[in-house]
Amino acid sequence: MKTKTKIASRKSQIPRVLVNLPEASDERLDLDKRIKVLKTYKIYIDGKFPRSESGRYYKLKDSKGNHITNMSRASRKDFRNAVVAARNAVSSWSDRTGFNRGQIIYRIAEMLETRKAQFIWELVSQGISRENSVNEVNTAIDRLVYYAGWADKYQQIFSSVNPVNASYFNFSVPEPTGVVGIIAPEEFSFIGLISNIIPAILGGNTCVVLASESMPLTAISFAEVLQSSDVPAGVVNILTGFEKELVSHFSGHMDVNAIIYTRNDPAQIKAIQISATSNLKRIHIRKDQNWMSPESQNPYIILDNQEIKTIWHPIGF
Amino acid sequence: MAVKTRKTRQSKPIPSHFPNIDQVGIEERVARLNSRSIKKDSKVKALKLALSMIDLTTLEGKDTEGKVRQLCYKALHLHDSLPKLPHVAAVCVYNSMVGIAKETLAGSDIKVASVATAFPSGMSTLKVKLQETKFAIGQGADEVDMVISRGKFLAGEYNYVTDEIAAIKEACGKVHLKVILETGELNTLDNVRKASDLAIFAGADFIKTSTGKIQPAATMPVTLVMLEAIRDHYYLTGKKIGMKPAGGISKAKQAIQYLVMVKETLGNAWLNNNLFRFGASSLANDIIMQIIKQETGRYHSKDYISID
């Protein structure tokens, strides 16, 4: 009895955080008198977390209109820098074996699993119900594992040996397109982001991503996961900011080889289609998609950003 | 010839006092100049000016005749789909390639610069260096880029270094002589200033930062110190010496920063390719991409520009 009291009294002296490491969402934290250390959400370019070069930001509010945090409002120059980083990363990333890319994507899943609570908390604070948030994060991790498995398989499945009427050995293989610009979904801010980034980089591409404008928190936290998962700098670059300001640069930049647009604005879609002809970008419009559904994960999405290269190899007799 | 050199020295003793350089001051000045923002029309003008100042360079052991021909072709046709683009000032090659470059560039006013004097180390005798210089000139080089003997310089043998430059200058005659200080090996800005003063005293037409083989190559503080040496010499004698930063300048933005520094230190008289050059190979492509960006409003890709 005596011992018990002793323990109890000691416990009350220890700061609460140490007694029971809370989830990030734990409201008991608010009882603490100390000033909270808030995270500055910055953008992710070339493996680093700079603020926007423009110094601009926008206020992020939750569904009740409370000010959650300030997000960097990326400028066209941030986008340009991101494309330079992505371009530089293409050759070494695409030269890696599919097996190795698969290992790295599995590693992302591992890292995400350990930081689940943070992602759930971020989704909740952006107005998603707790149940849906848990669901979304779990699905995202499973999807990463799913795609990791495809990394060393898609190439042989989509390759072919072609019969030709001449003395050639003729075969076709998928090769990465290069730099992919991704306008991530506004809704499904996390699972939608992952479902578009992963198939692109899995196939040896690098990407520049514009995160959801109203729910960008998980995108930047995901960048932290990427940074600690052996994903080389420049392979994924994530910007936060306004679609209407940046999308014309995504579609117009001559060094971007493909663009994925996942939102629903018909005027924007048309503008992208016109602008992307400048260097014949591959355009993928993925609108009205339920990113939670299992149908949103399949190897054909990897193929979207692959180019089929056919080789005619002479056969000597 | 050696006698003549000595005569020069008798009439005018080599400088014995050199100004000390305030490194912190130089760095602050550079940072301040770099904060200038050059936009729109002035940017396009600056880019075109920078393009016209480039010495397109290939100085590699693996250089072949084909590579040099390709470089010369590039000098002549930077980006033909952009009319009214200035061409580069010169191509810079090893002396064994001067003949090829001369032949390929025949009829144009692009100059051929040749490195000489046991480039890049400079570790050889004066006799061999003179021979090499004469060979380059015999092949038709319009400009000679020599390296100073850094070992001797660091050992304090300033007379040797100065005499050597003077001897090479004499062998060059009317051919332009650029003197490479290889500032990456001189360790301090004080030394850079010293070497600049000696080179100018010995008759250099241009002073040049680096060979491009040693890191760090051209940096802005080093260039500023050299520009100040040129400025002080101009105030003293009224004679204009040229400047060539080389190595490590590969972005259009950097080039514009250098131009700002030249204008602020020496004035408009130096803003032309008779008195200022960039030694670079990939800079030209980046400038072309920026010019296209200014014209079309779209960021451009290397895929549409000739390879370096």
Side-chain angles (χ1 to χ4, degrees), chain A:
Chain A
M1 188 65 207
K2 214 179 180 184
T3 352
K4 251 188 186 173
T5 346
K6 211 176 182 184
I7 288 172
S9 69
R10 191 184 291 163
K11 200 173 174 183
S12 62
Q13 284 166 15
I14 303 173
R16 199 162 207 148
V17 191
L18 288 181
V19 176
N20 175 15
L21 194 69
E23 283 185 21
S25 65
D26 199 327
E27 279 166 15
R28 282 174 299 176
L29 262 181
D30 295 338
L31 299 175
D32 284 344
K33 288 284 188 305
R34 65 184 280 272
I35 299 167
K36 272 201 263 181
V37 178
L38 295 174
K39 178 159 102 186
T40 313
Y41 286 84
K42 297 188 278 186
I43 54 181
Y44 184 55
I45 298 175
D46 203 14
K48 299 183 190 72
F49 290 92
R51 288 182 169 82
S52 166
E53 62 76 41
S54 63
R56 300 174 308 173
Y57 65 92
Y58 68 96
K59 285 185 176 176
L60 184 68
K61 290 178 179 160
D62 64 12
S63 50
K64 289 169 202 145
N66 302 318
H67 181 193
I68 308 176
T69 182
N70 294 332
M71 299 302 299
S72 280
R73 185 178 152 197
S75 68
R76 67 178 168 84
K77 288 188 181 174
D78 294 315
F79 171 68
R80 175 197 62 190
N81 295 343
V83 174
V84 170
R87 172 58 61 196
N88 288 339
V90 168
S91 67
S92 65
W93 179 242
S94 59
D95 278 351
R96 289 180 187 238
T97 58
F99 179 70
N100 184 229
R101 287 199 296 267
Q103 285 177 311
I104 290 173
I105 286 164
Y106 187 82
R107 178 76 181 157
I108 302 173
E110 285 179 3
M111 299 307 285
L112 202 53
E113 181 78 34
T114 60
R115 291 178 60 168
K116 242 158 95 173
Q118 180 194 353
F119 284 82
I120 292 167
W121 170 71
E122 281 170 343
L123 287 174
V124 168
S125 54
Q126 292 174 127
I128 310 288
S129 75
R130 191 170 173 93
E131 191 194 341
N132 285 346
S133 301
V134 171
N135 225 339
E136 186 166 342
V137 175
N138 284 339
T139 312
I141 296 168
D142 294 347
R143 193 156 289 174
L144 280 160
V145 175
Y146 169 85
Y147 277 121
W150 271 107
D152 57 352
K153 299 174 188 68
Y154 76 93
Q155 222 165 4
Q156 51 272 45
I157 288 187
F158 293 129
S159 292
S160 63
V161 176
N162 316 314
V164 287
N165 193 12
S167 60
Y168 288 96
F169 175 43
N170 186 293
F171 55 100
S172 304
V173 288
E175 291 193 344
T177 298
V179 176
V180 182
I182 300 174
I183 316 288
E186 191 59 48
E187 309 298 321
F188 299 110
S189 63
F190 185 49
I191 184 73
L193 181 89
I194 288 202
S195 306
N196 284 289
I197 292 178
I198 299 304
I201 64 168
L202 170 74
N205 301 291
T206 61
C207 61
V208 180
V209 188
L210 179 64
S212 168
E213 191 174 306
S214 57
M215 295 188 275
L217 295 184
T218 48
I220 299 306
S221 296
F222 183 58
E224 291 160 12
V225 168
L226 291 172
Q227 202 201 25
S228 52
S229 307
D230 301 330
V231 180
V235 170
V236 180
N237 305 276
I238 301 180
L239 308 177
T240 53
F242 297 163
E243 173 193 338
K244 62 175 187 297
E245 180 189 349
L246 290 168
V247 78
S248 66
H249 299 290
F250 271 76
S251 57
H253 198 308
M254 298 292 279
D255 219 11
V256 174
N257 305 107
I259 179 163
I260 298 172
Y261 184 80
T262 56
R263 300 178 189 176
N264 294 333
D265 183 348
Q268 201 67 274
I269 292 172
K270 195 177 171 195
I272 289 171
Q273 284 167 334
I274 293 171
S275 173
T277 55
S278 55
N279 64 336
L280 302 180
K281 284 182 190 64
R282 281 158 192 278
I283 308 169
H284 303 292
I285 308 294
R286 296 173 180 164
K287 60 174 185 174
D288 295 327
Q289 203 154 334
N290 177 7
W291 293 103
M292 287 295 285
S293 118
E295 283 156 26
S296 289
Q297 59 178 40
N298 62 66
Y300 297 101
I301 299 176
I302 305 169
L303 198 60
D304 275 354
N305 287 308
Q306 299 288 308
E307 292 171 0
I308 301 297
K309 186 174 190 175
T310 296
I311 293 130
W312 294 69
H313 193 289
I315 308 170
F317 286 99

Side-chain angles (χ1 to χ4, degrees), chain A residues 76-77 79-80 87-88 248-249 251-257 274-276 278-281, chain B residues 37-40 43 251 253 286 289-290 292-294 296-304:
Chain A
R76 67 178 168 84
K77 288 188 181 174
F79 171 68
R80 175 197 62 190
R87 172 58 61 196
N88 288 339
S248 66
H249 299 290
S251 57
H253 198 308
M254 298 292 279
D255 219 11
V256 174
N257 305 107
I274 293 171
S275 173
S278 55
N279 64 336
L280 302 180
K281 284 182 190 64
Chain B
S37 171
I38 310 285
K39 297 284 177 212
K40 307 244 160 77
K43 184 172 180 185
K251 297 280 173 248
K253 191 177 176 183
D286 197 60
M289 294 219 304
Q290 296 309 317
I292 296 174
K293 157 73 176 61
Q294 294 298 321
T296 62
R298 293 173 190 278
Y299 287 113
H300 213 64
S301 162
K302 277 190 188 140
D303 290 355
Y304 306 94

Side-chain angles (χ1 to χ4, degrees), chain B residues 224-235:
Chain B
L224 182 55
V225 170
M226 291 168 72
L227 290 172
E228 285 179 350
I230 293 172
R231 182 190 62 194
D232 293 350
H233 182 73
Y234 175 71
Y235 282 152

Side-chain angles (χ1 to χ4, degrees), chain B residues 32-270:
Chain B
R32 208 173 160 75
L33 290 173
N34 284 353
S35 66
R36 293 281 169 85
S37 171
I38 310 285
K39 297 284 177 212
K40 307 244 160 77
D41 287 354
S42 344
K43 184 172 180 185
V44 174
K45 264 195 182 164
L47 289 171
K48 288 189 174 169
L49 181 62
L51 204 54
S52 74
M53 290 170 161
I54 290 176
D55 284 3
L56 217 51
T57 303
T58 180
L59 295 169
E60 282 170 20
K62 63 180 183 189
D63 283 351
T64 59
E65 294 187 1
K67 171 84 194 285
V68 172
R69 282 211 181 86
Q70 185 221 334
L71 189 81
C72 294
Y73 188 84
K74 180 168 175 152
L76 291 165
H77 304 275
L78 274 175
H79 196 70
D80 286 346
S81 58
L82 267 185
K84 292 186 204 155
L85 212 58
H87 58 64
V88 298
V91 295
C92 184
V93 292
Y94 271 116
N95 49 34
S96 59
M97 293 294 173
V98 170
I100 307 290
K102 234 9 219 183
E103 181 194 314
T104 319
L105 292 170
S108 76
D109 53 355
I110 299 173
K111 299 201 166 63
V112 175
S114 166
V115 294
T117 72
F119 181 92
S121 69
M123 299 299 269
S124 187
T125 61
L126 180 59
K127 195 177 158 198
V128 173
K129 290 179 182 181
L130 285 170
Q131 246 174 9
E132 209 189 329
T133 310
K134 283 173 189 157
F135 171 74
I137 295 166
Q139 292 287 300
D142 304 297
E143 299 170 355
V144 167
D145 289 25
M146 71 166 290
V147 291
I148 64 166
S149 301
R150 281 89 73 189
K152 297 278 188 191
F153 177 87
L154 292 172
E157 297 183 37
Y158 301 144
N159 287 334
Y160 181 94
V161 174
T162 316
D163 285 353
E164 193 178 56
I165 299 169
I168 303 282
K169 173 60 192 168
E170 201 178 332
C172 284
K174 286 189 173 170
V175 170
H176 250 54
L177 177 67
K178 304 193 199 110
V179 178
I180 304 173
L181 309 182
E182 193 62 300
T183 52
E185 290 186 336
L186 297 184
N187 298 334
T188 65
L189 291 181
D190 278 349
N191 279 346
V192 171
R193 174 68 196 233
K194 234 180 250 180
S196 306
D197 284 351
L198 292 176
I200 293 171
F201 173 79
D205 297 303
F206 261 75
I207 49 176
K208 174 174 167 183
T209 57
S210 334
T211 58
K213 305 287 177 201
I214 300 282
Q215 288 303 324
T219 64
M220 299 203 65
V222 153
T223 308
L224 182 55
V225 170
M226 291 168 72
L227 290 172
E228 285 179 350
I230 293 172
R231 182 190 62 194
D232 293 350
H233 182 73
Y234 175 71
Y235 282 152
L236 219 60
T237 65
K239 200 172 165 246
K240 291 175 185 148
I241 305 296
M243 172 72 203
K244 176 176 172 184
I249 306 167
S250 58
K251 297 280 173 248
K253 191 177 176 183
Q254 287 174 295
I256 292 177
Q257 289 172 336
Y258 274 91
L259 291 182
V260 168
M261 194 159 73
V262 173
K263 186 182 158 66
E264 292 299 325
T265 316
L266 296 172
N268 288 337
W270 266 264

